[in-house]
Amino acid sequence: ERLAKLTARLTPAQRHDPAKVRLPPWYPNTPAVRRDMAHFYDLVTAMDIQAGDLLAELDKAGLADDTIVFFYPDHGTGMPRHKRAVYDSGVLTPLVIRIPPKFQQWAPGKPGSKVDRLVSFVDFAPTVLSLAGLKAPAHMQGRAILGPQQGPEPEYVVCLRDRVDECVELSRAVRDRRFKYIRNFLPQRPYLQWST
C-alpha cells in the first residue's frame, strides 16, 4: 500500500518490469528478488519526479537563480549489500549539484558534466558553510568540496559499519581512487544478522 502511494504518479512506461530488471551479480535470480529490485527502481523514478517538482517550485518562487541544490539519496533499500554495507554497493551514492550561472565560478565542471572525485557525506556541512562565505569550525569533520573554502581532494575516504538497528557490527573500510580495503572486526558473526 505504501509503495503504491509513493509510485502513484508513475506512468506504465515508467514502471519497471521485474522480468527485465538488471540484477547485481550478488543477488539470486528469483522472482522475489526481481520484484523487489523492480520496486526499488520504481521508487528511484518516483524520487526523480519529486526532485523535478522541487526544482519547479524554486523556479515558480523566483528562487532558482539564487539557490544551489544538492540532490543525493540515502544508501538504498534494506537489500543485502545496500544500506549500511561498507562494500561499494552500500556506500557509493549519486550526488547531483545544481549550480545556477551566477555561482558558476564554484562549479567543478560545466552544467551537465560528470566529476569523478572522492566525496563523503561529512563534506556537505563544510561545503554549505563555504558556499555561505563562512569558515567551518576546526572541530568539524569533512572538507568543503565547493566554494571559496574548497579543499583538495582527499587521498582516502573512510567508511564504517557499527550496527544495524539492534545488531552489533564492526567493519571499517578505506577507499582511494583505485582500491578499497575492508576489515571486519567480528568475522565470527554472520554478514546478515537477524534484525527486527
Side-chain angles (χ1 to χ4, degrees):
E1 182 179 316
R2 184 167 186 256
L3 177 68
K5 183 178 178 183
L6 291 171
T7 60
R9 291 174 55 195
L10 269 59
T11 66
Q14 291 172 319
R15 295 187 182 274
H16 296 81
D17 180 355
K20 296 178 182 175
V21 165
R22 190 171 143 209
L23 291 178
W26 51 86
Y27 288 143
N29 189 357
T30 66
V33 171
R34 289 189 156 284
R35 180 199 65 227
D36 288 348
M37 287 305 295
H39 289 169
F40 173 72
Y41 292 134
D42 285 351
L43 289 169
V44 170
T45 303
M47 180 181 63
D48 287 346
I49 292 169
Q50 289 177 340
D53 292 346
L54 293 172
L55 291 174
E57 279 185 45
L58 282 173
D59 197 38
K60 186 177 177 182
L63 299 171
D65 292 338
D66 296 314
T67 306
I68 297 172
V69 177
F70 288 71
F71 182 76
Y72 54 93
D74 193 352
H75 292 84
T77 66
M79 305 256 308
R81 288 184 69 141
H82 272 170
K83 188 178 211 164
R84 300 178 181 152
V86 294
Y87 295 103
D88 283 351
S89 56
V91 296
L92 292 180
T93 60
L95 169 61
V96 178
I97 303 175
R98 183 191 159 276
I99 302 174
K102 74 191 281 183
F103 302 118
Q104 282 300 305
Q105 73 271 19
W106 295 328
K110 295 183 192 277
S113 64
K114 179 181 176 184
V115 177
D116 186 21
R117 289 191 196 167
L118 292 173
V119 174
S120 180
F121 278 24
V122 296
D123 297 332
F124 294 169
T127 299
V128 170
L129 289 173
S130 174
L131 291 169
L134 302 170
K135 190 168 180 134
H139 66 274
M140 183 176 278
Q141 293 183 30
R143 64 182 175 73
I145 60 171
L146 299 171
Q149 310 294 325
Q150 179 177 333
E153 179 181 7
E155 191 174 349
Y156 304 100
V157 171
V158 178
C159 307
L160 62 95
R161 178 179 172 149
D162 281 334
R163 64 171 188 80
V164 176
D165 298 325
E166 73 278 1
C167 297
V168 176
E169 303 278 353
L170 194 56
S171 298
R172 300 292 184 263
V174 178
R175 145 81 58 213
D176 68 8
R177 287 197 148 281
R178 187 170 176 201
F179 296 108
K180 181 176 212 171
Y181 172 75
I182 298 175
R183 174 133 187 226
N184 181 358
F185 290 91
L186 298 172
Q188 71 277 15
R189 293 185 180 219
Y191 178 72
L192 291 174
Q193 297 181 60
W194 177 254
S195 178
T196 56

